[in-house]
């Protein structure tokens, strides 16, 4: 049975809670959806992963957050921070918190890395300036951001916030046309230059939306990585 936890006054400021009553531990996965900051993409994008993660022994918190042109940056980033902090202080008392974010959800997880014990970023948006210049997401950046506000674009780019402090796995496909793998390669390299090692699974064929398909080839690799940490 799904419970819901509010962390703000807006209807989108909530978390869907899926508690796994078949396990004794309190290890939780926080799911953060993508959608290039657009309103029409919501928490339901992550639904396929919920049952798959519960089946292997995790409880799941699926986060919704404010986005779209009426909710300017850094509202999505701040909402994720407030959501996770609220969840940590709730009756659920997670003993371990793993963030799994897809696309912009990966961006939001990486920018809030200190809230998590470890992070899995699935084809994350790590460089908003690159995304702008390559017109990715059907020009999602100028649709959401003011493209002349370079300081805002840098604030939204995890590659500008290195080194990351949290154990992180990135999974990305070379054939991903929505978020280019070059940005993940650069992000890993920038962290490496500053002494931080990130695990990267760069796969020949993993479409952008297949990243959130538990039937896709990367899923077992993801679980094995988590099993060494959870």
């Amino acid at each position: 049975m799904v419970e819901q936890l509010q962390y703000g006054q807006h209807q989108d400021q909530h978390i869907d809670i899926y508690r796994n009553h078949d396990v004794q531990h309190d290890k939780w996965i926080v799911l953060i959806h993508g959608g290039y900051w657009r309103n029409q993409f919501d928490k339901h994008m992550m639904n396929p992963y919920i049952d798959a993660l519960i089946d292997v022994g995790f409880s799941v918190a699926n986060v919704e957050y404010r986005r779209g042109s009426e909710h300017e940056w850094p509202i999505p980033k701040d909402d994720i921070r407030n959501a996770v902090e609220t969840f940590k202080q709730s009756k659920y008392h997670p003993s371990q918190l793993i963030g799994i974010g897809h696309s912009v959800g990966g961006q939001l997880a990486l920018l809030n890395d200190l809230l998590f014990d470890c992070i899995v970023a699935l084809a994350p948006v790590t460089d908003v300036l690159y995304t702008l210049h390559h017109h990715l997401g059907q020009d999602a950046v100028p649709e959401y951001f003011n493209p002349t506000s370079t300081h805002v674009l840098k604030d939204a780019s995890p590659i500008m916030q290195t080194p990351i402090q949290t154990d992180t796995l990135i999974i990305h496909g070379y054939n991903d046309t929505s978020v280019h793998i070059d940005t993940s390669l650069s992000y890993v390299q920038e962290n490496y230059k500053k002494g931080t090692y990130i695990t990267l699974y760069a796969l020949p064929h993993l479409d952008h939306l297949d990243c959130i398909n538990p039937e896709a080839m990367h899923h077992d690799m993801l679980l094995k990585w988590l099993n060494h940490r959870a």
Side-chain angles (χ1 to χ4, degrees):
M1 186 171 180
V2 184
E3 300 177 37
Q4 197 165 91
L5 177 65
Q6 293 290 141
Y7 64 90
Q9 298 301 312
H10 192 274
Q11 62 181 2
D12 285 340
Q13 291 179 293
H14 66 266
I15 310 167
D16 288 345
I17 306 294
Y18 301 82
R19 190 159 199 167
N20 191 335
H21 294 284
D22 295 329
V23 294
Q24 300 301 314
H25 60 74
D26 287 306
K27 297 175 181 177
W28 287 78
I29 288 180
V30 175
L31 295 177
I32 310 171
H33 71 83
Y36 268 129
W37 311 287
R38 294 183 172 112
N39 261 325
Q40 64 263 41
F41 301 104
D42 63 16
K43 62 184 180 181
H44 297 296
M45 293 186 73
M46 305 303 281
N47 281 356
Y49 249 112
I50 294 170
D51 286 340
L53 292 169
I54 290 173
D55 286 345
V56 295
F58 291 100
S59 294
V60 176
N62 192 18
V63 180
E64 190 56 281
Y65 56 92
R66 291 173 295 172
R67 61 216 179 278
S69 57
E70 67 273 30
H71 301 298
E72 295 181 351
W73 190 267
I75 286 175
K77 179 178 70 171
D78 292 345
D79 270 8
I80 296 303
R81 184 189 70 245
N82 291 335
V84 176
E85 288 177 344
T86 299
F87 180 64
K88 283 186 172 183
Q89 297 166 11
S90 71
K91 65 180 182 180
Y92 302 101
H93 299 297
S95 62
Q96 186 179 41
L97 214 53
I98 300 160
I100 297 183
H102 172 240
S103 194
V104 160
Q107 169 210 27
L108 299 173
L110 294 172
L111 290 172
N112 284 288
D113 69 293
L114 293 178
L115 296 172
F116 300 104
D117 295 294
C118 61
I119 291 172
V120 178
L122 304 169
V125 174
T126 57
D127 191 335
V128 179
L129 287 163
Y130 178 104
T131 305
L132 169 68
H133 296 149
H134 288 78
H135 307 283
L136 299 181
Q138 298 177 318
D139 276 323
V141 173
E143 179 183 324
Y144 179 63
F145 294 92
N146 177 352
T148 64
S149 298
T150 304
H151 69 286
V152 175
L153 301 181
K154 288 181 177 179
D155 177 72
S157 298
I159 198 168
M160 300 294 179
Q161 322 299 327
T162 58
I164 196 169
Q165 302 297 314
T166 303
D167 193 10
T168 298
L169 166 66
I170 293 177
I171 301 177
H172 212 144
Y174 274 98
N175 63 322
D176 191 330
T177 57
S178 296
V179 178
H180 293 169
I181 196 172
D182 289 351
T183 56
S184 285
L185 295 170
S186 296
Y187 181 69
V188 170
Q189 184 179 34
E190 285 303 309
N191 276 278
Y192 177 76
K193 288 178 182 177
K194 297 175 182 177
T196 297
Y197 299 89
I198 290 176
T199 303
L200 171 65
Y201 294 160
L203 304 179
H205 300 286
L206 184 66
D207 291 337
H208 193 64
L209 289 179
D210 267 343
C211 286
I212 47 176
N213 175 11
E215 301 297 321
M217 61 181 298
H218 72 292
H219 183 62
D220 286 343
M221 302 166 67
L222 184 160
L223 292 180
K224 287 179 181 177
W225 188 86
L226 285 181
N227 286 337
H228 288 291
R229 288 152 180 86

